[in-house]
Amino acid sequence: MKKIYIIIFLSIITAIIITIIISFIYSKNKYTHPSPPHQKKSGLPKKRISTIKKEDKIIFPNYFPDSIISQLDLIHVKYINYNNSIDSGYLLVNKKIHLEVQSIFKDLFTRGFLISKVSTGVEFNFSDSLMMENNITSCFNYRQVNGSRRLSQHALGMAIDINPRQNPFIYSTDKKYPLNSIYDTEVIGTVIGGGICEEVFKKYNWKWGGDWRSFKDYQHFSKNGH
Ligand SMILES: [Zn+2]
């Protein structure tokens, strides 16, 4: 009789031990189970993905630093083009001025200032000379100031160029960009002191390159005056 009790006792102990071992293995499996795909972290910074997704053609040249690209937002703006039609385009701007740039373009639209074409510059591979020749209104471009080694405010997405063909950068009588452009205040799309475009930018405390004394950059507006 004693033997039976011992066998029952040992069986219960064995059952308890087996249950403990199984539950331990199960809990360990549960803990190390890989997270479902939607929880996996992506290797790319979140903002950069959302920026690229909005216009899936954004391929930046290799020399554009990631630290600067991560400061950018892609915005969509409406404007009236040279055919007097409603048009729209994308701009890459610094996050700091995202909302302000949208307000500026809203004001330019409402007040009827004509813009040739708005673009990120992607289709020109960010070539400043090509963009000027094609009369592109743009913001961000990782480049230096024309004729200098200093990094431009465009490199931070903190400056905007408006209708470059009508609003050249005039360094001296024989040095102007784009080449063969003429600054004529009677021509549509030209930025004039006291005109709609200058007034709108100044309302938001932006500075105009047409006010510079040493040389004139009629297309250029920036927040800090450089
Ligand atoms: Zn500029």
Side-chain angles (χ1 to χ4, degrees), residues 28-162:
K28 213 176 173 197
N29 272 348
K30 222 165 110 185
Y31 181 72
T32 54
H33 198 273
S35 49
H38 68 270
Q39 283 180 11
K40 274 187 180 171
K41 280 182 187 168
S42 163
L44 284 167
K46 254 188 182 173
K47 267 289 170 189
R48 193 166 170 188
I49 293 170
S50 72
T51 297
I52 291 166
K53 262 191 179 172
K54 286 182 199 165
E55 188 193 52
D56 41 56
K57 282 180 189 166
I58 295 197
I59 299 163
F60 295 101
N62 285 338
Y63 65 92
F64 282 23
D66 277 354
S67 58
I68 288 191
I69 291 170
S70 64
Q71 291 177 41
L72 302 173
D73 268 344
L74 188 70
I75 62 166
H76 190 227
V77 294
K78 225 165 50 165
Y79 61 96
I80 303 167
N81 67 23
Y82 282 7
N83 298 320
N84 271 307
S85 309
I86 296 174
D87 214 330
S88 73
Y90 288 93
L91 284 173
L92 282 162
V93 303
N94 195 295
K95 290 176 197 298
K96 289 180 201 160
I97 55 164
H98 173 141
L99 293 174
E100 211 166 84
V101 174
Q102 275 184 328
S103 302
I104 287 169
F105 276 83
K106 224 175 254 176
D107 284 11
L108 291 174
F109 179 85
T110 313
R111 296 191 57 186
F113 181 78
L114 303 186
I115 292 174
S116 169
K117 190 181 187 315
V118 167
S119 167
T120 55
V122 173
E123 69 249 60
F124 303 97
N125 201 26
F126 295 95
S127 157
D128 188 36
S129 53
L130 268 181
M131 285 161 75
M132 280 198 285
E133 276 167 36
N134 285 279
N135 217 5
I136 301 300
T137 290
S138 66
C139 178
F140 166 76
N141 196 356
Y142 192 73
R143 63 176 173 84
Q144 291 156 335
V145 174
N146 270 326
S148 143
R149 295 178 82 180
R150 200 158 39 88
L151 215 53
S152 159
Q153 282 296 298
H154 290 285
L156 301 169
M158 294 290 283
I160 292 177
D161 285 342
I162 302 282

